[in-house]
Amino acid sequence: MNRRRKYAAPVLVAALALLIVTGCGKDGKSGELTKVKFSEVIRSIFYAPHYVAMSQGFFKDEGLDVDMNTAQGSDKGAAALLAGTADISMGGPETTIYIHNQKGEKTLKVFHQLTAKDGSFLLSREKLDDFKWSDLEGKTVIGWRPGSAPQMVMNSTLIKEGVKDVNVITNIASPAMAGAFTSGQGDFIQLFEPIASTLVREGKAYYAASLGEAFGPFPETSYVATSDYIKKNPEVIQRFVNAVAQGAKWLNAASDEEIATALAPFFEGTSKELILQSVERYKSQDTWPTNPELTREQFDTLQNVLIENGVLKAEERIANMDDVVDMSFVRQIGNADE
């Protein structure tokens, strides 16, 4: 009996360690966690459902170990997919169209639509009691790189509002934009949360407008992978989609304290108050769709914006949406591996 007791503790410790290593999830999935090399476009609360899925263990529950890095641009995220240094990328769905029309060896596909509006906000250097888009005439705006979704949404909004003679600076790297503005460059700046609210809180800028509200529905951010990766790893894609959908569902039901605690590790130095303010701002403009499916209407809107901004020729418009979009996984959310 003593000998059996002597070895009981070590055996129990070993068994617990095995459970940790193999990643047995709450839903009963077991086996070693599958590593997914993931590239986010930038760090923003605009992508809160993804961070929730990480912090609340929804990816691990699905048997996935998500290794995340920040690409600082959809173009860089797409390049990582093509080079094989990323398995899944978060970015603008327009990248799939660009790559498809290059007729290269690899193609990309959207498999989950994360956001339904642009996530940037226009801030002014001087306080404007009643902002009008015409206030931008003759002014300088620090904006995003040419061909990026926020840059095109800004340009299309200016066209929609009939505003001309606006100098939009598009050659400042995204991590340096806020610093350039606070150093005195530009009259306005286009930023995502929580950086936008941080500048306002510090008294370095004033809120002027929401690009998401001004432009309207737009499929700005998607999850993308190469067609080959999706074909070879359908179970990984399905579990990834399930986890993100669970993150969005949790975000809509959780308390303020739970949300702030879940997101805080991804935004060090940002107060919980600003985190919650950013989340509420995105919620109020219906940023995160309850159904994360990229629809035909949204796809048409996307291509119209690309053509309007001169990055896609009318004759290059993709008629068969399935060439760059696969929504089959979204339609099976929660049903996989049951």
Side-chain angles (χ1 to χ4, degrees), residues 44-317:
S44 171
I45 290 176
F46 191 43
Y47 315 123
H50 183 92
Y51 307 133
V52 165
M54 294 187 72
S55 69
Q56 299 307 298
F58 298 144
F59 283 118
K60 287 188 176 180
D61 287 349
E62 291 288 341
L64 303 179
D65 175 16
V66 177
D67 180 16
M68 182 169 69
N69 70 76
T70 308
Q72 300 296 354
S74 292
D75 54 340
K76 296 178 179 65
L81 292 176
L82 296 176
T85 56
D87 300 318
I88 295 173
S89 178
M90 173 198 292
E94 69 276 0
T95 58
T96 66
I97 297 174
Y98 299 155
I99 299 302
H100 178 273
N101 286 337
Q102 289 176 6
K103 309 296 183 184
E105 293 182 1
K106 294 184 178 181
T107 57
L108 305 181
K109 281 194 173 184
V110 172
F111 62 84
H112 182 288
Q113 187 59 39
L114 182 62
T115 64
K117 295 279 182 69
D118 177 81
S120 63
F121 299 90
L122 185 68
L123 307 182
S124 61
R125 186 174 299 283
E126 304 296 332
K127 186 176 182 180
L128 302 172
D129 293 329
D130 184 21
F131 172 78
K132 301 179 293 296
W133 286 98
S134 58
D135 292 335
L136 295 181
E137 292 185 354
K139 303 296 184 179
T140 298
V141 179
I142 295 180
W144 294 74
R145 66 172 178 81
S148 65
Q151 182 272 326
M152 290 187 290
V153 167
M154 168 64 83
N155 189 53
S156 290
T157 299
L158 295 177
I159 293 172
K160 174 184 173 183
E161 297 292 336
V163 181
K164 300 178 181 179
D165 189 29
V166 181
N167 177 28
V168 181
I169 300 173
T170 59
N171 62 354
I172 300 176
S174 57
M177 289 170 61
F181 184 77
T182 57
S183 295
Q185 189 170 354
D187 303 299
F188 293 83
I189 187 169
Q190 181 186 6
L191 290 173
F192 287 73
E193 293 289 10
I195 299 177
S197 288
T198 299
L199 290 193
V200 172
R201 174 59 59 88
E202 294 175 348
K204 297 176 180 177
Y206 297 90
Y207 176 84
S210 161
L211 271 296
E213 291 180 353
F215 184 78
F218 182 74
E220 180 144 324
T221 312
S222 306
Y223 288 105
V224 180
T226 64
S227 300
D228 289 343
Y229 184 85
I230 294 173
K231 185 177 180 180
K232 293 177 182 177
N233 302 278
E235 73 291 342
V236 172
I237 298 297
Q238 186 65 65
R239 293 183 178 190
F240 192 97
V241 165
N242 288 348
V244 176
Q246 184 66 18
K249 182 179 179 181
W250 185 94
L251 192 60
N252 284 326
S255 68
D256 285 351
E257 179 62 27
E258 289 172 329
I259 291 172
T261 300
L263 296 178
F266 301 93
F267 299 94
E268 294 183 4
T270 301
S271 69
K272 288 187 176 182
E273 182 183 358
L274 282 185
I275 288 174
L276 290 173
Q277 179 180 314
S278 300
V279 169
E280 184 55 39
R281 182 166 281 172
Y282 283 129
K283 279 185 176 181
S284 68
Q285 63 181 38
D286 297 323
T287 295
W288 303 303
T290 54
N291 177 15
E293 182 172 348
L294 179 59
T295 66
R296 180 76 231 190
E297 182 179 5
Q298 291 172 327
F299 191 69
D300 288 343
T301 296
L302 172 65
Q303 294 203 96
N304 290 339
V305 167
L306 299 182
I307 292 171
E308 183 175 56
N309 281 271
V311 296
L312 181 70
K313 297 178 181 178
E315 60 270 23
E316 294 177 331
R317 181 189 290 268

